[in-house]
Amino acid sequence: MKKILQRHNLKPKKHLGQNFLVNEDILKKIIETADIKSTDTIVEVGPGLGVLTESLSQIAQKVISIEIDKNLIPILRAKFSNIKNVEVVEEDALKFEPPDTQYNLVANIPYYITSPLLNHFLQSKNKPETITLLVQHEVAKKICEIEPDMSILALQVALFGKAKYIHKVLPGNFYPAPKVNSAIIHVQLYKPNDPQFIEQELAEKILKLAKRAFSQKRKKLSNTLRDLKDQLLKAGIDPNRRPQTLSIEEWKLLIT
């Protein structure tokens, strides 16, 4: 990894949150977690030097790798010039339009885009079937531990799928080593015939209301949602509760 960067006179960019994965065992764990089939299309965010991309290409039917760093694009395109099922796209992943066909999202992402990236793909017209991410450990725990203390990010994910904490990843597995632990998470998105499935319009209404309530997380609902006091009482929700204690079913009651 270091030699490749030196050869191209490059260094990991802090402002892009570049921490390249260098442990093959963790790489295998990501692949195993994603449960990729030979017919799958994979959207990969932040391929870096293409280590994960290469492994994905050996299993999936197609891999679309989105990289924002223009200095890495020539390296990636040269590396995969003879591998026909890999498409390297130079673009900001937060502006990327997902394919119309079924796909899975797999990525070792810069920590600072975790929330906006999840929001972008979960709010898109064509959502992924599954999401497998390597993210900051603390954020991974928040996403996967939804009750009785649910963050706005956890709610954002739980409205669309079931998140599962998979594996802790220590800093030494990256170059350069980040200052915090990481973790692999997996999200299985709900399908229309699943009991937990929520229509997009309702999910968006819940999120809009939740953002109001979470804007002052320590405040009681009676303060942040004063105009909904009657709805709170009608739904059997104590106005003295805080937003992080509400379940998805309770949020639904407030909207419907």
Side-chain angles (χ1 to χ4, degrees), residues 95-122:
K95 297 178 181 177
F96 174 75
E97 188 68 33
D100 295 330
T101 54
Q102 292 183 344
Y103 69 97
N104 299 297
L105 178 64
V106 181
N108 168 25
I109 59 174
Y111 297 150
Y112 71 94
I113 69 164
T114 302
S115 181
L117 184 83
L118 282 167
N119 184 62
H120 175 70
F121 280 92
L122 291 174

Side-chain angles (χ1 to χ4, degrees), residues 209-210 212-213 221-222 224-235 237 239 251 254-255:
L209 181 62
R212 273 182 58 196
L221 295 170
S222 58
T224 55
L225 302 178
R226 289 180 183 177
D227 55 321
L228 297 181
K229 189 173 181 179
D230 289 342
Q231 287 96 314
L232 286 165
L233 294 172
K234 185 178 178 181
I237 300 170
W251 284 112
L254 283 178
I255 295 297

Side-chain angles (χ1 to χ4, degrees), residues 27-185:
L27 186 75
K28 289 178 180 177
K29 190 69 178 177
I30 294 172
I31 299 292
E32 176 189 318
T33 300
D35 191 24
I36 300 162
K37 307 293 189 300
S38 60
T39 54
D40 286 345
T41 294
I42 304 297
V43 172
E44 181 196 16
V45 175
L49 295 175
V51 177
L52 178 58
T53 316
E54 187 173 4
S55 295
L56 291 168
S57 71
Q58 293 170 2
I59 308 170
Q61 184 176 66
K62 185 175 182 180
V63 180
I64 303 170
S65 289
I66 310 161
E67 178 56 61
I68 194 172
D69 187 348
K70 64 181 181 180
N71 292 323
L72 295 180
I73 294 296
I75 300 173
L76 290 165
R77 288 186 173 155
K79 179 171 183 165
F80 297 107
S81 60
N82 295 320
I83 301 179
K84 303 302 180 184
N85 66 333
V86 174
E87 178 185 355
V88 177
V89 178
E90 182 182 356
E91 190 172 353
D92 181 345
L94 302 180
K95 297 178 181 177
F96 174 75
E97 188 68 33
D100 295 330
T101 54
Q102 292 183 344
Y103 69 97
N104 299 297
L105 178 64
V106 181
N108 168 25
I109 59 174
Y111 297 150
Y112 71 94
I113 69 164
T114 302
S115 181
L117 184 83
L118 282 167
N119 184 62
H120 175 70
F121 280 92
L122 291 174
Q123 296 290 323
S124 65
K125 290 181 180 178
N126 188 31
K127 299 173 180 56
E129 291 192 305
T130 66
I131 298 173
T132 304
L133 299 180
L134 184 53
V135 299
Q136 185 176 340
H137 184 266
E138 182 182 341
V139 175
K141 296 292 282 186
K142 283 184 178 180
I143 292 172
C144 299
E145 294 177 359
I146 61 171
E147 294 179 20
D149 186 5
M150 183 164 18
S151 66
I152 187 69
L153 179 55
L155 176 62
Q156 178 181 321
V157 175
L159 286 169
F160 299 101
K162 174 68 175 176
K164 184 178 180 182
Y165 178 95
I166 303 297
H167 186 74
K168 186 176 184 178
V169 182
L170 299 177
N173 293 295
F174 299 89
Y175 170 75
K179 294 180 180 180
V180 295
N181 292 323
S182 306
I184 301 168
I185 64 168

Side-chain angles (χ1 to χ4, degrees), residues 219-222 237-243 245-247 250:
K219 290 284 188 180
K220 298 173 182 177
L221 295 170
S222 58
I237 300 170
D238 185 349
N240 289 319
R241 286 172 62 185
R242 302 180 191 280
T245 68
L246 267 63
S247 67
E250 288 175 317

